Amino acid sequence: MREHEALGFSTNTSYNSNSDLNYEFGNFLKLLQTSISNEHKNAYMNIKDKKIEEIEILGVVVYGTRDQILEIMNAPIIKSASLGGIIDNY
């Protein structure tokens, strides 16, 4: 799967509770359901009856400074990680 084919939702807090994740997941389902994309509609049909606890998290994107990210990468819970960069083209 290429990165532009990945589906997911964003949370913008440093700590997420189950209620936050349930809310974001609900919004994500609504977006999939109302999309004109057949892939999105198929994804919706596959996960519409699932709870957030049943969804497998395949990856997380974390933003921060180089030092902040390097500190996170050394945590024992992290299975694999890579660094990337964002540049301003203008």
Side-chain angles (χ1 to χ4, degrees), residues 72-80:
I72 292 169
M73 288 173 66
N74 292 326
I77 195 169
I78 305 299
K79 293 182 182 179
S80 66

Side-chain angles (χ1 to χ4, degrees), residues 11-24:
T11 59
N12 295 317
T13 60
S14 58
Y15 173 77
N16 291 304
S17 68
N18 277 349
S19 60
D20 293 335
L21 291 176
N22 280 324
Y23 176 78
E24 295 296 340

Side-chain angles (χ1 to χ4, degrees), residues 27-82:
N27 285 340
F28 176 64
L29 287 176
K30 288 178 190 173
L31 288 172
L32 290 177
Q33 183 181 26
T34 58
S35 173
I36 62 170
S37 165
N38 285 333
E39 288 97 7
H40 291 174
K41 290 182 187 238
N42 287 338
Y44 171 77
M45 293 304 291
N46 286 321
I47 64 173
K48 68 179 181 161
D49 296 322
K50 296 196 182 284
K51 295 178 184 174
I52 189 67
E53 296 85 7
E54 300 173 298
I55 301 298
E56 183 180 4
I57 297 174
L58 298 177
V60 176
V61 175
V62 178
Y63 295 93
T65 66
R66 179 185 160 274
D67 291 335
Q68 290 169 326
I69 300 301
L70 287 173
E71 184 178 330
I72 292 169
M73 288 173 66
N74 292 326
I77 195 169
I78 305 299
K79 293 182 182 179
S80 66
S82 64

